Amino acid sequence: MARGWESKSVESQQSDEPLEVKPRLKEEEAARVAERESLERSRRRIATELETARSDVHRTALEHALRHLDDELQKLL
């Protein structure tokens, strides 16, 4: 019977302790994560398109876009 009382005592002690809840991402952090993911998707798409680009003008534009995306991603770090 002592064992039953002991477990109830532990249970009551645990219920008195505040629960640790993971803080939700702040709105700013969530927006930053979303922007980074968007930039990374764009970068992958442009890199894939660059592999098949035949026109020098198009290739130059894609390379410029990749540099811009890399710069934007670097700002988010």
Side-chain angles (χ1 to χ4, degrees):
M1 187 135 158
R3 188 171 204 157
W5 285 104
E6 181 181 313
S7 64
K8 289 186 178 189
S9 175
V10 170
E11 182 181 331
S12 68
Q13 288 174 4
Q14 288 176 343
S15 66
D16 292 342
E17 295 175 13
L19 295 176
E20 287 186 37
V21 178
K22 289 185 179 179
R24 288 182 166 223
L25 287 178
K26 293 182 182 175
E27 196 171 311
E28 289 177 11
E29 291 176 71
R32 187 175 177 160
V33 168
E35 183 174 355
R36 181 181 174 98
E37 290 173 351
S38 176
L39 289 169
E40 288 173 344
R41 281 192 303 272
S42 294
R43 191 188 188 293
R44 283 192 300 272
R45 181 185 56 80
I46 290 174
T48 301
E49 197 173 325
L50 182 60
E51 292 174 5
T52 60
R54 294 186 178 163
S55 165
D56 288 337
V57 173
H58 188 216
R59 179 176 290 282
T60 301
L62 292 171
E63 289 169 348
H64 178 70
L66 277 178
R67 281 192 301 273
H68 174 72
L69 289 170
D70 287 340
D71 291 343
E72 292 298 312
L73 283 167
Q74 192 63 34
K75 289 177 187 176
L76 292 176
L77 292 179

